[in-house]
């Protein structure tokens, strides 16, 4: 009653309270970011490409605003050593001097050309983007340009002047990319989705800095259990595991199968927990390094969400990564979906 009397005596106060109520009610609720983790095969024979189809449509209907993939980040020098070689940066610098007389920034150039409206993009644009993504060591987006060129017209490739340094280099490298990727998740699932959704940049989120450590750790425990019952158990598990998903390929539902919660748990058991009962220190070191790599991948995914203000991110990795990456992202407070959660 006292409050009512106070408000009546002070009409300005009433107006201010009403304005605050209106503002608080009209303020849109902030959408929490959501991550869709998709485990993939790195290759499916062309005769079994039906396996990509239903997954493609599910993700298309999900309509992510960002796509993240299993490629190294451009400035991740330590990871590039394992894919591009020890002297990768020296090689790219020398090519830049030959190809780019203007000495412009590769990053700035790709940003400039990447902002060209889709309706105005032509083969020359794709070729320019290919060149500067390559020079910037952004190989995922370089390969996407090869996919677009391959999809639109291979005749364009044969028309290039192979007497020119870049044209000759591009023609050889492009053919190699198409040959290597044509049966992969990139040419059959990820790149078609990126193109259909009109996403201008694919976020590379892999981290290979643990490769050497994991290889060394694997060698230690593998030698230790040679010709033992533990080795037989390990080999038997992975044979059964492989047979299980391979049997799904002719049924055209292998991707849905390997993305089920039960199968992902099984993959995690085989990768990191199969010898828990042995208390093998070398295997524990191996599994710890595996989890470390997946935490680093998770951190890169979080960076994409924060830097792009993304609300729906579809992340594509070999299916063995899905369980540990999901666990880590959920520990960081993110909502994570799997294929089986989509309609």
């Amino acid at each position: 009653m006292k409050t009512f009397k106070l408000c009546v005596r002070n009409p300005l106060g009433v107006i201010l309270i009403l304005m605050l109520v209106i503002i608080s009610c009209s303020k849109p609720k902030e959408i929490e970011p959501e991550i869709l983790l998709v485990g993939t095969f790195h290759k499916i024979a062309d005769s079994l490409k039906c396996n990509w189809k239903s997954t493609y449509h599910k993700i298309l209907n999900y309509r992510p605003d960002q796509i993240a993939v299993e490629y190294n980040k451009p400035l991740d020098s330590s990871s590039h050593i394992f894919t591009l070689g020890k002297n990768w940066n020296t090689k790219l610098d020398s090519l830049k001097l030959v190809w780019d007389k203007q000495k412009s920034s590769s990053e700035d150039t790709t940003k400039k050309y990447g902002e060209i409206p889709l309706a105005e993009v032509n083969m020359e644009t794709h070729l320019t983007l290919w060149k500067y993504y390559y020079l910037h060591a952004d190989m995922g987006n370089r390969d996407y340009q090869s996919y677009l060129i391959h999809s639109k017209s291979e005749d364009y490739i044969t028309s290039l002047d192979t007497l020119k340094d870049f044209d000759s280099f591009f023609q050889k490298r492009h053919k190699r990319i198409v040959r290597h990727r044509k049966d992969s998740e990139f040419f059959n699932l990820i790149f078609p989705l990126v193109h259909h959704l009109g996403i201008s940049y694919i976020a590379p989120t892999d981290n290979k800095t643990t490769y050497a450590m994991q290889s060394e750790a694997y060698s230690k425990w593998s030698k230790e259990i040679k010709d033992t019952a533990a080795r037989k158990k390990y080999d038997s598990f992975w044979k059964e595991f492989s047979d299980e998903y391979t049997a799904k390929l002719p049924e055209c539902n292998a991707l849905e199968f390997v993305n089920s919660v039960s199968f992902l748990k099984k993959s995690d058991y085989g990768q990191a927990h199969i010898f828990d009962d042995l208390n093998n220190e070398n295997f524990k070191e191996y599994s710890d390094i595996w989890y470390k790599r997946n935490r680093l991948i998770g951190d890169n995914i979080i960076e994409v969400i924060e830097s792009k203000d993304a609300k729906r991110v579809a992340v594509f990795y070999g299916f063995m990564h899905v369980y540990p990456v999901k666990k880590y992202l959920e520990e960081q407070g993110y909502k994570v979906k799997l294929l089986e959660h989509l309609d």
Side-chain angles (χ1 to χ4, degrees):
M1 195 67 180
K2 288 180 180 179
T3 306
F4 177 74
K5 287 179 179 178
L6 183 63
C7 289
V8 171
R9 291 174 187 170
N10 187 359
L12 183 59
V14 175
I15 294 169
L16 287 172
I17 290 169
L18 286 171
M19 287 178 67
L20 287 171
V21 170
I22 292 167
I23 290 169
S24 63
C25 290
S26 62
K27 185 179 179 181
K29 186 179 179 181
E30 189 174 345
I31 301 171
E32 292 295 320
E34 185 176 278
I35 301 162
L36 172 66
L37 278 179
V38 183
T40 67
F41 293 99
H42 291 315
K43 185 177 182 180
I44 296 178
D46 188 60
S47 60
L48 297 169
K49 66 191 304 180
C50 57
N51 283 276
W52 305 113
K53 192 173 181 180
S54 62
T55 299
Y56 172 86
H57 288 294
K58 278 188 175 183
I59 300 167
L60 191 63
N61 291 335
Y62 179 71
R63 303 205 70 81
D65 53 17
Q66 292 291 325
I67 283 181
V69 294
E70 194 173 347
Y71 271 95
N72 300 336
K73 295 169 67 177
L75 301 179
D76 185 357
S77 301
S78 299
S79 292
H80 284 321
I81 289 171
F82 297 99
T83 50
L84 303 179
K86 288 184 178 179
N87 300 317
W88 67 272
N89 49 349
T90 305
K91 180 183 177 182
L92 293 187
D93 285 345
S94 64
L95 286 173
K96 186 175 175 59
L97 288 172
V98 175
W99 294 348
D100 192 11
K101 309 302 181 186
Q102 298 176 345
K103 297 182 181 180
S104 54
S105 161
S106 302
E107 188 174 10
D108 290 345
T109 306
T110 52
K111 185 178 179 182
K112 170 187 167 186
Y113 279 87
E115 290 172 350
I116 295 175
L118 286 174
E120 299 175 21
V121 171
N122 55 30
M123 285 295 187
E124 288 296 327
T125 310
H126 292 312
L127 199 62
T128 301
L129 281 167
W130 192 101
K131 176 167 72 173
Y132 286 103
Y133 279 132
Y134 182 82
L135 292 175
H136 191 48
D138 192 342
M139 301 310 175
N141 285 285
R142 175 206 65 176
D143 289 2
Y144 177 52
Q145 297 306 314
S146 268
Y147 163 78
L148 292 172
I149 292 169
H150 175 70
S151 301
K152 290 180 178 180
S153 176
E154 276 296 302
D155 293 339
Y156 176 76
I157 308 303
T158 57
S159 70
L160 294 173
D161 185 354
T162 53
L163 295 177
K164 293 180 180 178
D165 289 324
F166 172 71
D167 286 10
S168 175
F169 180 93
F170 166 77
Q171 193 176 77
K172 292 174 185 174
R173 192 57 59 94
H174 168 77
K175 287 179 180 178
R176 189 188 306 174
I177 292 166
V178 172
R179 187 168 61 250
H180 179 60
R181 295 293 189 194
K182 68 182 177 65
D183 293 328
S184 76
E185 71 271 41
F186 292 100
F187 269 45
N188 292 280
L189 178 64
I190 302 169
F191 292 162
L193 280 167
V194 171
H195 182 58
H196 193 115
L197 293 165
I199 292 172
S200 60
Y201 184 77
I202 304 166
T205 53
D206 200 3
N207 187 301
K208 294 184 175 69
T209 55
T210 60
Y211 258 31
M213 291 184 291
Q214 189 171 354
S215 179
E216 185 180 347
Y218 176 87
S219 181
K220 284 180 185 177
W221 70 257
S222 184
K223 287 178 182 176
E224 190 177 352
I225 67 167
K226 186 179 179 181
D227 298 325
T228 67
R231 182 79 230 188
K232 288 180 181 177
K233 174 186 177 181
Y234 184 82
D235 292 342
S236 176
F237 172 87
W238 285 111
K239 183 182 184 306
E240 180 188 326
F241 183 86
S242 175
D243 288 348
E244 204 173 351
Y245 67 72
T246 302
K248 299 294 179 181
L249 286 166
E251 299 172 13
C252 299
N253 62 355
L255 272 172
E256 285 87 348
F257 179 75
V258 299
N259 280 279
S260 65
V261 172
S262 58
F263 191 79
L264 293 171
K265 283 183 179 178
K266 191 172 183 178
S267 73
D268 185 63
Y269 166 78
Q271 184 73 8
H273 296 287
I274 193 169
F275 295 138
D276 282 356
D277 58 330
L278 300 180
N279 293 316
N280 186 298
E281 288 300 317
N282 288 326
F283 187 79
K284 186 178 184 308
E285 180 189 6
Y286 168 81
S287 60
D288 286 346
I289 294 167
W290 166 250
Y291 282 134
K292 179 181 178 181
R293 181 184 174 199
N294 286 284
R295 288 195 300 272
L296 292 169
I297 290 169
D299 286 336
N300 286 340
I301 294 167
I302 291 170
E303 185 183 318
V304 171
I305 292 169
E306 293 177 347
S307 64
K308 302 292 185 182
D309 193 26
K311 300 306 177 190
R312 283 190 170 193
V313 183
V315 181
F316 297 85
Y317 269 79
F319 62 79
M320 296 295 295
H321 291 279
V322 173
Y323 191 89
V325 172
K326 179 178 184 290
K327 184 174 182 290
Y328 178 71
L329 290 170
E330 287 177 337
E331 288 170 353
Q332 306 310 304
Y334 286 91
K335 181 181 179 181
V336 181
K337 282 188 172 183
L338 300 175
L339 268 183
E340 67 177 29
H341 299 141
L342 302 185
D343 295 329

